Amino acid sequence: MRHDSPTFSPLYRQIKNLMLNALESGEWRPGQAIPSEQELAIRFSVSQGTVRKAIDEMAAENLLVRKQGKGTYVASHNDPRALFRFLRLVPMDGDLAHPQSVPLDCWKAKAGNEAARMLGIELGAPVTILRRLLRFAGKPVVVDEIYLPGEIFQGLTMEVLQGSHGSLYSLFESRFGVRMIRAEERIRAVAADRMTSETLNVAEGTPLLSVERVTYTYGDRPVEWRRGLYLTADHYYLNELN
Amino acid sequence: MRHDSPTFSPLYRQIKNLMLNALESGEWRPGQAIPSEQELAIRFSVSQGTVRKAIDEMAAENLLVRKQGKGTYVASHNDPRALFRFLRLVPMDGDLAHPQSVPLDCWKAKAGNEAARMLGIELGAPVTILRRLLRFAGKPVVVDEIYLPGEIFQGLTMEVLQGSHGSLYSLFESRFGVRMIRAEERIRAVAADRMTSETLNVAEGTPLLSVERVTYTYGDRPVEWRRGLYLTADHYYLNELN
DNA sequence: GAGTGGTCTAGACCACGGC
DNA sequence: CCGTGGTCTAGACCACTCC
């Protein structure tokens, strides 16, 4: 019998979708182990090889992490290895000390034209805006302005930010149940304006990297829009092309 | 019997290495089809599944391209889809016209300190230096200065460059048998100097993206070092974080 | 030793491209 | 219709982790 359906999708991909649902619904939480391949094979009534292929894809997408001899785990931004997955800025003298995040400001507003388009929300819908500074070895290097859909990030305040210690995405994951899984960055070179130059302690007009990022969660839903200005005197943005 | 060897490598990876040799030696050439999975299984005396897993990895690394129903092919920079694999600059108004490469200058020199380090060659070894301009829709947007090991790229002259029509990497592949498979880019923001500002037709001091790239061929051997200056008034550098 | 993921095999069948 | 890659299965055995 031929299979003429134009929407054909192989079994392992259907299994993958079921597993994505388990992640999205919160049945399996970041940091926790998911059931063993054998258990999943029984649960979904397929062979272990088919489950395996589904997990393979999800591991390649950084959704799951396999650990031989232990099990398969839901990826988490609490994992320190995840920090530099989204922050590609590297010190020129390989000083790998973690940057320090300093919240500058946090307020609520209504989505403007651009924010609404980027976040896929209504014009005028509530957004939370956050400004923060990143210090490397004490020196200010990055200023970020971050737009978040107000509905999802209710209760995000300066107090919450100041009480948090890991990365922002780690906080978003733990406190708001939002896991960032993919992002697009648009990079340009700009001159530092007055305000930014003061924050970064450089001359006005200094060339800076402008990094606009849209970040997506499960189902390719955009949940963050941010613009970062990077001082690249002692750092560079590292990108691997494969 | 336990396998205590610390250098254990699974069968499919050994097969992969054999196949990498076939690529490196030129037995299989860019654009051509490699033998079928069944033939390879017989040739290497393993099951088809094991060959499959080797090919899977190489396809994921963009070394091979699978085409269902036809066969598996050696990836080639002649393939138009390969163009934007290494050029991440995108027009702000989605104008997808291919950029035009204009060679400006080409001369031979001896490797300085930095070039020698980046290319992994001796200080003073011969290098070929190439300057070229990239135009998008007629407008100058990128100036590149490209350092190539002279030994590998013997016979690269302005005439050769002007007579070539595809991408540079396409030329390198066809004419010099050098296939670029991976690159690292270090990106910073800089101010346009006098010469660059004239070439790009902008004011001196205009912020530009400085993109330093080291490109590697088989066996992680560096074979190109280049510095590009990108005008990001009407374009941006697009990076996908996964 | 028990349990997990990782490898390898052999065979059946499906989807696709081209003759 | 054939040959190609793509999927799915069932089972054996290996490597790693933890108790």
Side-chain angles (χ1 to χ4, degrees):
Chain A
M1 193 178 80
R2 294 227 13 222
H3 195 304
D4 283 350
S5 165
T7 56
F8 166 72
S9 115
L11 190 49
Y12 75 85
R13 199 151 296 209
Q14 299 173 38
I15 302 303
K16 182 183 170 188
N17 279 330
L18 293 174
M19 294 178 65
L20 285 173
N21 290 342
L23 287 177
E24 204 165 344
S25 73
E27 179 187 346
W28 301 335
R29 306 191 108 80
Q32 291 182 345
I34 70 172
S36 74
E37 297 181 352
Q38 196 48 247
E39 284 178 285
L40 291 171
I42 294 168
R43 165 163 162 185
F44 298 128
S45 303
V46 297
S47 79
Q48 186 183 342
T50 301
V51 169
R52 212 175 158 63
K53 191 145 188 186
I55 295 179
D56 278 346
E57 283 202 358
M58 296 171 76
E61 292 167 20
N62 293 303
L63 298 177
L64 299 176
V65 179
R66 319 184 82 133
K67 300 187 184 174
Q68 184 172 168
K70 299 186 69 177
T72 301
Y73 295 77
V74 181
S76 168
H77 286 290
N78 292 315
D79 186 332
R81 288 168 298 182
L83 213 175
F84 286 95
R85 184 149 80 91
F86 288 97
L87 178 60
R88 299 296 178 92
L89 203 65
V90 177
M92 288 178 70
D93 50 21
D95 183 355
L96 292 176
H98 281 199
Q100 175 199 7
S101 175
V102 184
L104 298 178
D105 209 345
C106 178
W107 70 97
K108 298 183 197 314
K110 296 186 179 206
N113 219 313
E114 197 171 19
R117 196 175 75 248
M118 293 302 193
L119 292 174
I121 58 180
E122 299 279 320
L123 191 70
V127 292
T128 298
I129 306 177
L130 161 60
R131 280 184 14 99
R132 70 96 178 252
L133 181 66
L134 235 46
R135 293 176 182 275
F136 283 72
K139 288 182 190 157
V141 176
V142 174
V143 197
D144 277 314
E145 190 162 273
I146 304 176
Y147 290 71
L148 301 163
E151 274 190 33
I152 302 177
F153 289 90
Q154 278 176 29
L156 179 59
T157 61
M158 277 298 274
E159 291 71 46
V160 171
L161 289 165
Q162 280 156 350
S164 145
H165 287 293
S167 70
L168 263 187
Y169 287 171
S170 178
L171 172 71
F172 292 171
E173 174 181 300
S174 309
R175 173 129 184 170
F176 302 96
V178 180
R179 239 195 77 74
M180 306 296 193
I181 60 177
R182 193 179 75 78
E184 288 174 358
E185 292 193 330
R186 291 174 170 76
I187 306 172
R188 304 173 61 218
V190 301
D193 62 19
R194 181 70 171 278
M195 186 172 123
T196 307
S197 67
E198 284 171 5
T199 310
L200 291 178
N201 197 25
V202 294
E204 202 176 331
T206 301
L208 301 175
L209 236 49
S210 161
V211 181
E212 272 194 70
R213 178 194 297 177
V214 179
T215 321
Y216 300 84
T217 186
Y218 297 114
D220 262 332
R221 283 191 305 131
V223 284
E224 181 199 52
W225 174 48
R226 63 161 78 181
R227 185 187 193 210
L229 293 168
Y230 294 16
L231 176 60
T232 56
D234 301 320
H235 300 74
Y236 54 81
Y237 183 106
L238 177 62
N239 193 22
E240 317 242 355
L241 310 179
N242 293 307
Chain B
M1 191 179 82
R2 297 226 12 224
H3 195 303
D4 283 350
S5 165
T7 54
F8 166 72
S9 116
L11 190 49
Y12 75 85
R13 196 145 297 188
Q14 299 172 39
I15 303 303
K16 182 183 170 188
N17 279 330
L18 293 174
M19 294 177 65
L20 285 173
N21 291 342
L23 287 178
E24 202 165 345
S25 73
E27 181 187 345
W28 300 335
R29 307 191 106 82
Q32 291 182 344
I34 69 172
S36 76
E37 297 181 352
Q38 196 49 250
E39 285 177 287
L40 291 170
I42 294 169
R43 164 164 162 184
F44 298 130
S45 302
V46 298
S47 79
Q48 185 183 343
T50 301
V51 169
R52 209 170 162 64
K53 191 145 188 187
I55 295 179
D56 278 345
E57 283 203 356
M58 296 171 76
E61 292 167 20
N62 293 303
L63 298 177
L64 298 176
V65 179
R66 319 185 80 134
K67 300 188 184 174
Q68 185 175 164
K70 298 188 67 177
T72 301
Y73 295 77
V74 181
S76 167
H77 286 290
N78 292 315
D79 186 332
R81 289 168 298 182
L83 214 177
F84 287 94
R85 184 149 81 89
F86 288 97
L87 178 59
R88 298 297 178 92
L89 203 64
V90 177
M92 289 178 70
D93 49 21
D95 181 358
L96 291 176
H98 281 198
Q100 175 199 9
S101 175
V102 184
L104 298 177
D105 209 345
C106 178
W107 70 96
K108 298 185 196 313
K110 296 188 179 206
N113 219 312
E114 197 172 19
R117 196 176 74 248
M118 293 302 192
L119 292 174
I121 58 180
E122 299 279 319
L123 191 70
V127 291
T128 298
I129 306 176
L130 161 59
R131 280 185 14 100
R132 69 98 176 249
L133 181 66
L134 234 46
R135 293 176 183 275
F136 283 72
K139 287 182 189 157
V141 177
V142 173
V143 197
D144 277 314
E145 190 163 274
I146 304 175
Y147 292 71
L148 301 163
E151 274 191 33
I152 302 177
F153 289 90
Q154 280 177 27
L156 178 59
T157 61
M158 278 298 273
E159 290 72 44
V160 172
L161 289 165
Q162 281 158 348
S164 147
H165 288 292
S167 72
L168 263 187
Y169 288 173
S170 179
L171 172 71
F172 292 170
E173 174 182 300
S174 309
R175 171 127 186 172
F176 302 97
V178 180
R179 238 194 78 74
M180 307 298 192
I181 61 179
R182 192 179 75 79
E184 288 174 359
E185 292 194 329
R186 292 174 170 76
I187 306 172
R188 304 172 61 217
V190 301
D193 62 18
R194 179 71 170 278
M195 186 172 122
T196 307
S197 67
E198 285 171 5
T199 310
L200 292 178
N201 198 26
V202 294
E204 201 175 332
T206 301
L208 301 175
L209 236 49
S210 161
V211 181
E212 273 195 67
R213 178 194 297 177
V214 180
T215 321
Y216 299 84
T217 186
Y218 297 113
D220 261 332
R221 283 191 306 132
V223 284
E224 181 197 53
W225 174 50
R226 63 161 77 180
R227 186 188 193 209
L229 293 168
Y230 294 16
L231 176 60
T232 56
D234 301 320
H235 300 73
Y236 54 82
Y237 183 107
L238 177 62
N239 193 22
E240 317 243 354
L241 310 179
N242 294 308

